[in-house]
Amino acid sequence: TNNATINFENKKTNPTVRVMGGDDLFVDLNGYKIASGRNLNDLDVQSGRNVCLLGKTVATTLFGENLERPVDKIVRVNGIPFRVIGVLDEKGSTLGFSWDNAAVTSYNNVRRFFSGPKSSFSVGIKVKDINMLDAGIGEAEGVFRSIRKLTTTEGNNFLIDKSDSFVDMLLKNLQWLTISAIVIGFITLLGAAIGLMNIMLVAVTERTKEVGLIKAIGGKQRNVRSQFLYESIIISLLGAAFGIFFGILLGNSVSILMKTGFVVPWAWVILGIVICSLVGLFAGLYPAFKASRLNPIEALRYE
């Protein structure tokens, strides 16, 4: 079940706790570690006695930060009493699902108390070496075809998932996110280019007399064009500098919270500088040409 409520005395969790059933190998196979207490053993599983392991989120909600305190306490899972034999160490979240907002008991207890028409059962297999993974899958498939009494001509009526299949799914989702980010970024850049062009057009209007003076003392059209183009590019690069700084700051703040490494994406930094330079160049072209074509006499008389 994904919507269990666990309570202890006058405290209780939200009805979002996931109750999972397994055996004494469940903790190891699913990447958990025991923070306090002990793991399920074979007697717990075969006898079906009401014992459970609590995820860290559930344990801290009911008992506070001391992870030793829940051990040997009686909690109620959807009103059914269970003795806590251990607390699981923090594991984190995957695709928005918290592995710490969970309770683990034996699969016999799940069958008795929590199973329904949509219950899902799976067999977890772990190999000692990554190079043995394909051989392990082949062996598991052969064993399970025999259990399902399938003939050589029949296809599998079960599914084998490798751990890297979830990685592939995440990478595909990330590809769509990247495409979406690129589209949003393009629209943002288009709006920024239009805004920068308007700023430079206002600058040309406000500095008409200055342009006229430059031309009156011998300045050529290319000098005026270069001046306004350089200003447009510098403004755009200042925006890039602020964006890169705050992007790296925010990204690495998240990485620190998630306990991953500090990263400076140099390829994206260089690409951002190039793109912003091009945006500044194209946004400043029309205002620069407009300024360079001003008549110096009329420009000097401009108020």
Side-chain angles (χ1 to χ4, degrees):
T1 180
N2 291 321
N3 55 3
T5 300
I6 302 180
N7 62 284
F8 173 74
E9 295 178 349
N10 61 344
K11 293 183 179 180
K12 68 176 182 177
T13 66
N14 291 325
T16 56
V17 178
R18 185 178 189 183
V19 178
M20 299 178 287
D23 58 12
D24 53 322
L25 298 175
F26 181 90
V27 169
D28 181 44
L29 282 168
N30 287 276
Y32 282 110
K33 291 181 179 178
I34 302 293
S36 64
R38 66 171 178 86
N39 190 12
L40 293 168
N41 58 35
D42 190 58
L43 184 60
D44 296 327
V45 176
Q46 299 306 323
S47 66
R49 55 190 178 191
N50 290 16
V51 294
C52 70
L53 303 167
L54 296 183
K56 185 178 180 182
T57 299
V58 177
T60 52
T61 300
L62 298 178
F63 299 95
E65 294 296 328
N66 184 1
L67 298 184
E68 298 285 345
R69 189 172 167 233
V71 178
D72 284 332
K73 298 293 192 300
I74 302 297
V75 298
R76 290 187 173 271
V77 183
N78 284 355
I80 302 166
F82 281 82
R83 183 168 63 87
V84 179
I85 59 171
V87 177
L88 300 171
D89 204 357
E90 185 176 3
K91 186 180 177 183
S93 300
T94 304
L95 296 175
F97 167 75
S98 173
W99 289 96
D100 301 317
N101 190 35
V104 179
T105 184
S106 69
Y107 55 78
N108 285 323
N109 281 337
V110 169
R111 279 202 184 103
R112 276 196 300 163
F113 301 124
F114 306 108
S115 65
K118 293 185 179 180
S119 293
S120 176
F121 294 88
S122 62
V123 179
I125 301 170
K126 185 177 181 180
V127 293
K128 294 180 180 179
D129 191 309
I130 187 76
N131 297 319
M132 299 169 61
L133 185 60
D134 290 333
I137 290 171
E139 185 178 343
E141 185 175 1
V143 170
F144 220 65
R145 284 183 63 84
S146 175
I147 291 171
R148 290 296 181 94
K149 296 180 174 59
L150 298 174
T151 65
T152 53
T153 58
E154 290 180 303
N156 292 341
N157 58 1
F158 55 90
L159 178 67
I160 295 181
D161 266 333
K162 291 193 294 182
S163 55
D164 57 359
S165 65
F166 297 104
V167 176
D168 292 337
M169 181 181 68
L170 283 172
L171 289 175
K172 287 179 182 178
N173 291 334
L174 284 175
Q175 286 177 353
W176 284 110
L177 285 174
T178 303
I179 292 169
S180 302
I182 289 171
V183 172
I184 294 170
F186 177 78
I187 295 170
T188 305
L189 279 175
L190 183 62
I194 294 170
L196 182 56
M197 184 184 293
N198 286 333
I199 291 170
M200 295 309 298
L201 285 171
V202 171
V204 170
T205 303
E206 290 179 344
R207 295 161 60 186
T208 302
K209 254 190 171 183
E210 178 187 328
V211 174
L213 184 60
I214 291 171
K215 286 193 168 186
I217 62 175
K220 299 185 181 297
Q221 285 190 356
R222 67 171 179 271
N223 300 124
V224 177
R225 279 198 302 269
S226 299
Q227 179 181 343
F228 281 93
L229 279 175
Y230 289 151
E231 288 181 13
S232 177
I233 293 171
I234 288 170
I235 292 171
S236 184
L237 287 175
L238 282 172
F242 278 106
I244 290 167
F245 174 76
F246 286 109
I248 292 173
L249 182 66
L250 180 61
N252 285 286
S253 298
V254 174
S255 72
I256 289 169
L257 291 174
M258 295 180 68
K259 298 179 181 178
T260 59
F262 185 88
V263 176
V264 178
W266 291 110
W268 285 102
V269 169
I270 294 169
L271 183 63
I273 292 171
V274 172
I275 290 174
C276 287
S277 299
L278 292 174
V279 168
L281 178 63
F282 287 114
L285 279 175
Y286 174 65
F289 274 99
K290 181 180 178 181
S292 67
R293 290 172 181 170
L294 289 174
N295 187 308
I297 297 173
E298 289 183 6
L300 285 169
R301 291 166 54 190
Y302 180 82
E303 293 293 339

